[in-house]
Amino acid sequence: MSKRLRVSNALRDRSALLDGFTPPASGRSSPYELPLHASSGHRFADDLEGQNDEHLEGLSAKVKLLKDISIGIGNEVRESTIQLSQMNDAFAETSGILGGTFRRMNNMAERQGCRWLWYILFLVFVFWFFIIVWWFRR
């Protein structure tokens, strides 16, 4: 079993923890160093609180941006799924139509013998002839 510790409000007050605290002067610049005009630990704690609030606002903006991006990605995925489903249905329908056409063409070829091959070759030759004539007249 876990035990919960009761923390008094005095311990939750962060400014009370830093009363009388002055950071050591190390010669390095840091956003957390005590400004020269502030002499009390309370002013230092207020500055830290302000910086924390600024960082918290920045993080909140970044989290909101990430949330908006993830919602946009989710919407795009849903729309793409619908489009893919519709394309799959269209391709299945087209496949059925082409399969039926190919089957009828094979039946016709079996009944006609080899004449259909000569008809197709003749049509290809005529089509090629018109393409060549059109190409040279440009």
Side-chain angles (χ1 to χ4, degrees):
M1 296 294 223
S2 65
K3 294 181 181 179
R4 288 191 140 186
L5 295 176
R6 300 271 181 200
V7 179
S8 69
N9 285 338
L11 291 178
R12 288 186 182 166
D13 185 16
R14 288 184 271 184
S15 63
L17 295 174
L18 296 175
D19 279 341
F21 174 74
T22 57
S26 63
R28 292 182 283 167
S29 88
S30 168
Y32 303 109
E33 286 184 8
L34 181 66
L36 295 175
H37 60 82
S39 61
S40 71
H42 185 66
R43 175 71 180 169
F44 179 71
D46 288 343
D47 289 343
L48 286 178
E49 283 293 322
Q51 290 173 357
N52 284 343
D53 290 341
E54 290 174 9
H55 291 299
L56 186 62
E57 289 172 5
L59 286 174
S60 297
K62 290 177 183 178
V63 167
K64 184 182 181 321
L65 179 68
L66 286 174
K67 180 182 175 184
D68 292 342
I69 289 172
S70 64
I71 288 172
I73 289 172
N75 291 337
E76 185 68 29
V77 166
R78 272 188 233 95
E79 291 171 5
S80 297
T81 301
I82 291 170
Q83 287 179 351
L84 284 175
S85 175
Q86 291 171 349
M87 285 177 57
N88 188 27
D89 295 342
F91 283 134
E93 183 181 339
T94 304
S95 175
I97 291 171
L98 287 176
T101 303
F102 188 70
R103 190 173 48 254
R104 286 191 299 272
M105 190 179 83
N106 280 337
N107 289 340
M108 181 197 70
E110 288 175 3
R111 282 185 273 149
Q112 294 288 326
C114 195
R115 285 190 312 187
W116 67 273
L117 180 62
W118 292 110
Y119 291 138
I120 290 176
L121 285 175
F122 177 74
L123 287 174
V124 167
F125 177 73
V126 170
F127 182 70
W128 178 75
F129 179 73
F130 282 119
I131 295 281
I132 296 296
V133 169
W134 174 78
W135 182 264
F136 285 116
R137 286 194 173 196
R138 283 192 336 168

